[in-house]
Each structure stands twice: as structure tokens, then as C-alpha cells.
Amino acid sequence: MDERLCHRLEQLLGATALPREAALYQACARDESNLGSYPPDAVVVPADARELALLLEFAGAEGVPVTPRGAGTGKSGGALAVRGGIVVSTARMNRLLEIDEADLVAVVEPGLITGALCEAVQERGLFYPPDPASLLSCSLGGNVAENAGGPRAFKYGVTRHYTLALEVALIGGQRLSLGRRSTKSVTGYDLVGLMVGSEGTLGVISKITLRLIPLPMQQQLFVAMFDDAVAAGTAVTRLVTAGVRPSAMELLDAQIVEHLRQSGRWSARGQVGAILMVELDGPEEGAVERLERAAGLTESAGASEVVVATDAGRCRALWEMRRQVSVMLRDACPHKLSEDIAVPCGALPEMLRRLDRIAVDHQLEVAAYGHAGDGNLHVNILSPEPLEPASRDAVLLAIFRAAISLGGTLSGEHGIGLAKRDFLPLEQEAGQIAVQRQLKRVFDPQELLNPGKIFPDA
Ligand code: MLT
Ligand code: ZN
């Protein structure tokens, strides 16, 4: 902590915005990326957009780096203060300002926990679909900054598809109101689209207007067992080709199921090569036929067994199990590497085949799970010890090259941040990176906002 800097900020913003607890400073030095500890010089927790803008004005005038922080659940190091300076936390800007049932919008502050919004709108018969696994602890500002997805993105899309308008503050203190409350607006450049997924490098979000949709009437879930992950991936492409549109299709490979079993979360007997969790939703009318058709197609696509979750409690337990996979793996393998490549859905079986080969070639345990309908796999390297940098980079390079050569991407949902910035040129040509660097300088000419993220060092 830089006491002098904290003191000056306290004079500007008051004592409540400058908590000094050591535990807070320790927490703000890390996120869930496992990329190490970057202690900030000051942690500022503004009460509102006015204080946030004052802080950014100060930072611009003094040339101090600022790193925005939501709930710290990010996986790519986006919230790490790699150049020191100020971490600005949105924890106190966490109000649900409005739910409007006629306009079908919710207006929130960035620190609101995603699950709290989901629950509040559900009580009014409305639905906010983006559902990252960490939805009970992540914040909506972080979701917007990272363009978060989740299992239901397959049918309903990601955070970008629900973000209508944003209020943001720029380094220097300028405040911008972007987008409109109306579902449609094509006026001018799509600056909301640019902000969503910009990983806190362009502006700091102070207010978000989100689109809501009616709550689906009926949800059903079945679990299908396969001999291996490639067979499960092949079934996914078959279902998609047949026009089945589940609200989620989650794949868990054999290693993941084994870890679930060992941790007491999966109790069914017998060897399982891979699991697909398929959730369907829609009107009550036709629900039985919908379920029968999807389950039948899954069986004829190669499932050895299909088990329908017959009651709401069982569905909740299965989703809880799925949401805990990442935490479970971290507990079992603290040194794991966790990736989130995505490929076009039709390339999913081939990507899974290539992962098998990569595991053999690099003699590492490679486990995969994730949002199969989106071709978005969380590929985990489960090594008992930290890998040597050369072996780590070699296996990551092999995974990224496989995904990109199949038309896919380095990151389907966790962002580039610090974790993958050196790999960006694998996916994007120099000209595209240069244009993005120029855009960054339009918003932040001194390169003070979340520096050291997304782009490799020049
Ligand atoms: C998930 O889908 O479980 C998360 O996005 C993956 C993770 O936490 O690694
Ligand atoms: Zn995920």
C-alpha cells in the first residue's frame, strides 16, 4: 500500500472509499486465474459514478494506472494490477435500480451479483439468460467487461446480446452514456458493442441497462452417457443438425466424471466415458414430445444410456454439480491450467480427437468439459506440479493451434487478459492488433486503464 497515494485519494473521495484492511488488499492482488499476486498501491471503492469519475480524473492528471475490479472471479487475469497503481472495486456500486416489465429491461450498477439479478427478475416471470458458472459470486460489471457466457448461451446468447446501454467513465473523468433503452438502436457506431468484452481497458462501467425476456414455461433435463468424449461431441453435432435447440448442452469427459465421483458429487455406478447434460425449455404444450424427440435422437446418435431428471430437485443438484466442476478441479489440482477455447460446433468431435492426441504427445492429463453446443471447451491440464514454462507453452500452443486451425478461437468466454495476451498473434493478424491498439489510445491516450492486458508487449 502506498500510504501517500491513499491519503491523497482519501482527501478527494472520503474515508469510506479508501478502506485499508490488509485482507482486502490481499484479495485485490489476485483473481481466479492462478497468475500470481500483484499488490496494488491503493484500493478505491467508490460509492457512485461521481466518485468513480473523480478518481479517474485524478488518475489521468497524475498518470497513475487504474485496474477495474468486479467480484474477482475472472480466469484470465483481467483484474490484476500488473503495473501497480489503483485497483478500483465496484463492490459498493451494487444496486438493482429498476426492473421494467413493459420495457423488458433491468437497470443495474456494475457490482450487483449476477445471480441476484436472475432471481429478482424470475420473481416477476422474467428471464436474464447469461449464466456463468460463477453466477452466485460474479458481478454484472465483470460479466459485461468480459462478455461472459455460460451454459444457456447456446440457445440464448451471451452478455453482449442483452446489453442495451452502458454508462462508463474514462480515464480523465469524462462520463459517457452509450446505447439506448430501446431494444433496437442503430444510431452511430456500436460503442456498447465495443465496450462489452473490452476487459476493462477502455472505460469503467458505472451503470448497465440489460434486456430481459419472458421466463420459459418449462425446463427439462436429461443426462446421456457415452463411451467417450468424441462420441458425445458427435451426438451434439447430430442434435444441432436435426434442428434440436436445447437451452444447454454441457459435456463432461471421463476424467471430469472420475473427479466428480472421487469428490462424492457423482454416484452412479459403472464406467462412464463422457456425459452430456441436455436441458430443454419452452412452452408446456408439447413438452413431453420435445423431451422424447431429443432423448431419442441422443440415443440414436450413440448414447449408451439416457436418464431423465424427473423432478426440480434433481435438476438443481445436477446443475450445482456442473457449476462446481472448476472449483473441484482447482481443489484437486491447484496447479492446473484452465483454458476456454471454442470451435464451430461441427468441429467439436475433431477438436476432442485432437485433445486426445495432444494429451498423448505431451504426456499430460488433459480433461475437457464445457458448453458443447457452443463448441466451447474448458480444457484443463491437470498436472500435479507446476509445469516448466517451456512445457506449459508447448501444450498451450498445441491446444490453441488446434482450435484456431478448426476455425475457432483462443477464448470463448474468459477473455485474453494477461493469461493469453502473448498468444493473440496466433489468432489475429498484425493489422487487426494494430487497429485495436489505436482504438485503445482513443479512449485512453496515456494507456493507464488496465494496462498490460489483451495485447502483447510491443
Ligand atoms: C465453467 O463453465 O464452469 C467456467 O466457465 C469454467 C471455469 O470456471 O473454468
Ligand atoms: Zn464456462
Side-chain angles (χ1 to χ4, degrees):
M1 185 192 310
D2 178 337
E3 192 46 59
R4 207 172 139 260
L5 176 64
C6 288
H7 180 69
R8 291 185 66 198
L9 288 164
E10 189 175 308
Q11 284 183 322
L12 182 70
L13 302 168
T16 321
L18 267 296
R20 303 287 221 284
E21 290 90 21
L24 174 71
Y25 272 74
Q26 272 159 21
C28 288
R30 314 186 75 96
D31 63 4
E32 299 215 349
S33 63
N34 225 356
L35 289 170
S37 175
Y38 294 86
D41 297 316
V43 175
V44 178
V45 192
D48 53 27
R50 189 192 66 87
E51 286 188 12
L52 174 65
L54 277 176
L55 165 69
L56 294 176
E57 187 183 347
F58 172 93
E62 299 290 326
V64 183
V66 174
T67 304
R69 181 180 181 88
T73 56
K75 304 271 182 191
S76 57
L80 298 175
V82 292
R83 307 261 161 88
I86 300 165
V87 161
V88 57
S89 159
T90 55
R92 285 172 70 213
M93 296 169 66
N94 63 353
R95 289 175 302 161
L96 200 182
L97 299 169
E98 189 189 348
I99 297 173
D100 187 316
E101 291 165 40
D103 289 352
L104 286 174
V105 299
V107 183
V108 304
E109 289 186 324
L112 182 69
I113 298 300
T114 308
L117 174 71
C118 296
E119 223 178 280
V121 301
Q122 196 166 329
E123 280 165 15
R124 312 249 195 128
L126 296 172
F127 189 34
Y128 177 67
D131 60 341
S134 54
L135 95 164
L136 297 181
S137 52
C138 63
S139 65
L140 287 157
N143 291 178
V144 172
E146 299 293 330
N147 194 8
R152 297 202 174 103
F154 174 59
K155 180 168 179 179
Y156 290 105
V158 295
T159 305
R160 172 65 192 109
H161 302 117
Y162 294 87
T163 310
L164 294 174
L166 291 174
E167 286 187 14
V168 299
L170 309 186
I171 278 284
Q174 185 183 357
R175 287 167 69 175
L176 294 176
S177 185
L178 310 173
R180 304 298 294 167
R181 188 182 173 98
S182 52
T183 308
K184 285 181 165 174
S185 165
V186 294
T187 308
Y189 291 146
D190 180 7
L191 295 186
V192 173
L194 180 59
M195 281 290 162
V196 179
S198 63
E199 305 191 19
T201 61
L202 301 180
V204 186
I205 298 159
S206 59
K207 200 198 263 189
I208 311 165
T209 302
L210 292 166
R211 186 167 73 88
L212 305 173
I213 59 175
L215 191 65
M217 307 293 279
Q218 179 87 24
Q219 280 178 334
Q220 301 145 304
L221 179 65
F222 65 85
V223 176
M225 266 56 92
F226 291 85
D227 292 342
D228 57 47
V230 175
T234 307
V236 169
T237 55
R238 289 261 197 91
L239 285 170
V240 170
T241 312
V244 179
R245 201 76 187 154
S247 43
M249 271 199 280
E250 294 290 304
L251 182 146
L252 307 171
D253 79 1
Q255 284 101 310
I256 301 292
V257 179
E258 195 44 41
H259 279 278
L260 286 167
R261 198 194 301 276
Q262 280 170 18
S263 67
R265 292 174 171 97
W266 177 260
S267 54
R269 267 175 288 148
Q271 192 59 33
V272 177
I275 287 176
L276 260 192
M277 287 173 59
V278 181
E279 185 191 76
L280 303 158
D281 69 359
E284 266 167 51
E285 199 186 354
V288 174
E289 293 76 12
R290 202 163 48 234
L291 180 67
E292 278 172 359
R293 175 161 186 260
L297 277 167
T298 308
E299 259 174 346
S300 59
S304 53
E305 195 184 350
V306 170
V307 181
V308 177
T310 44
D311 60 74
R314 183 74 191 125
C315 292
R316 263 198 307 278
L318 282 164
W319 275 119
E320 185 55 22
M321 175 192 87
R322 164 62 188 87
R323 269 194 274 276
Q324 285 177 4
V325 169
S326 168
V327 173
M328 169 194 79
L329 291 178
R330 194 191 51 206
D331 291 347
C333 308
H335 304 294
K336 75 172 173 124
L337 296 174
S338 170
E339 294 306 328
D340 72 317
I341 52 99
V343 295
C345 185
L348 183 66
E350 177 58 18
M351 184 68 216
L352 288 159
R353 257 180 234 115
R354 293 197 190 182
L355 286 176
D356 284 345
R357 243 176 283 144
I358 289 169
V360 173
D361 290 350
H362 293 256
Q363 298 192 329
L364 288 166
E365 188 184 348
V366 178
Y369 69 99
H371 320 297
D374 287 322
N376 180 192
L377 291 174
H378 297 305
V379 181
N380 279 248
I381 318 295
L382 303 176
S383 83
E385 303 297 331
L387 289 179
E388 293 296 325
S391 325
R392 182 198 60 207
D393 288 353
V395 69
L396 291 183
L397 209 53
I399 294 168
F400 295 153
R401 283 203 170 121
I404 290 166
S405 72
L406 292 170
T409 180
L410 291 173
S411 177
E413 33 176 50
H414 296 166
I416 300 300
L418 180 62
K420 278 177 248 183
R421 59 181 201 146
D422 291 334
F423 296 103
L424 188 67
L426 285 180
E427 180 174 332
Q428 296 189 343
E429 58 177 18
Q432 187 176 350
I433 295 175
V435 168
Q436 291 174 92
R437 283 189 199 275
Q438 284 167 11
L439 273 172
K440 161 76 174 157
R441 283 195 286 272
V442 169
F443 287 85
D444 176 17
Q446 299 158 274
E447 307 217 7
L448 292 174
L449 191 60
N450 211 358
K453 306 294 166 62
I454 303 181
F455 309 111
D457 279 336

